[in-house]
Amino acid sequence: ATHGYSCGGQSGSAATSVNVIDRFPLATDADATDVGDLDAIRCLIASSSSTDYGYCAGGESTPAPINVIQRFQFVASANSSDVGDLVNSTATPGGHTYSTHGYVTGGQTNIIQKYAFASSGNATDLADLTWAVFHGQGSESTTHGYSMGGYAPNNTIQKFAFVSTTNATDVGDLSEPKAATGTAHN
């Protein structure tokens, strides 16, 4: 990994949604540069990454949820392209990366959706979370995806296998109920 990316989001005190793809170097301290645009102004997106591309799935485009899966190249400054659709329109989902696929969890639903990195195509309904998650957070290991928290707020940690169609299971709790959190893993 040589760069970090920030896609879409909201800007300013009026929380205006934007379509900018920013890139910043990981090896040095430097400001981000605008390297392209998403196909639409949107926020509340699920993201994932293959070796060569960044993916942005779902989100909200003032003010309705959308179902678009977009990708952009890491090696070039260019706009994103539409490579498929999610099963349903969804805002505030969790994003997860597996070696061959991207995953989208929740976003006002309990659906776990899967899409391939190798080719353009629509997502499929893989399995279900234990409950419908809104503003939950996504993380992953090499074999499983994790969906954490979410509104009401909730403290549930849910786990699902990347290579199975088995529904998620409740595997633990956060230290307190919370939603719209950030994640990191090592």
Side-chain angles (χ1 to χ4, degrees):
T2 60
H3 291 83
Y5 291 82
S6 175
C7 307
Q10 294 181 327
S11 177
S13 61
T16 303
S17 294
V18 296
N19 67 340
V20 174
I21 301 170
D22 279 334
R23 176 176 60 205
F24 59 93
L26 298 176
T28 60
D29 296 340
D31 292 337
T33 56
D34 181 341
V35 295
D37 292 330
L38 298 175
D39 69 341
I41 294 171
R42 55 190 186 136
C43 60
L44 309 172
I45 303 165
S47 60
S48 61
S49 304
S50 70
T51 305
D52 301 319
Y53 293 92
Y55 290 81
C56 299
E60 185 175 287
S61 185
T62 316
I66 57 177
N67 69 342
V68 178
I69 303 168
Q70 299 177 68
R71 77 174 182 193
F72 60 92
Q73 283 188 302
F74 288 143
V75 297
S77 295
N79 294 337
S80 69
S81 57
D82 182 337
V83 294
D85 291 330
L86 295 173
V87 172
N88 61 338
S89 297
T90 183
T92 73
H96 314 266
T97 298
Y98 179 62
S99 59
T100 58
H101 290 80
Y103 292 78
V104 174
T105 53
Q108 304 161 321
T109 74
N110 70 333
I111 299 173
I112 301 169
Q113 302 182 56
K114 170 183 177 179
Y115 58 91
F117 291 148
S119 62
S120 297
N122 294 335
T124 58
D125 183 338
L126 176 72
D128 292 333
L129 296 171
T130 59
W131 62 282
V133 176
F134 176 67
H135 276 295
Q137 194 60 41
S139 190
E140 64 275 330
S141 71
T142 56
T143 58
H144 290 81
Y146 295 82
S147 176
M148 300 156 292
Y151 280 115
N154 190 290
N155 66 341
T156 305
I157 302 170
Q158 301 180 60
K159 174 182 176 181
F160 65 95
F162 286 135
V163 296
S164 170
T165 56
T166 304
N167 290 338
T169 57
D170 182 340
V171 295
D173 294 325
L174 299 172
S175 61
E176 61 185 89
K178 49 186 153 181
T181 65
T183 63
H185 55 84
N186 65 357

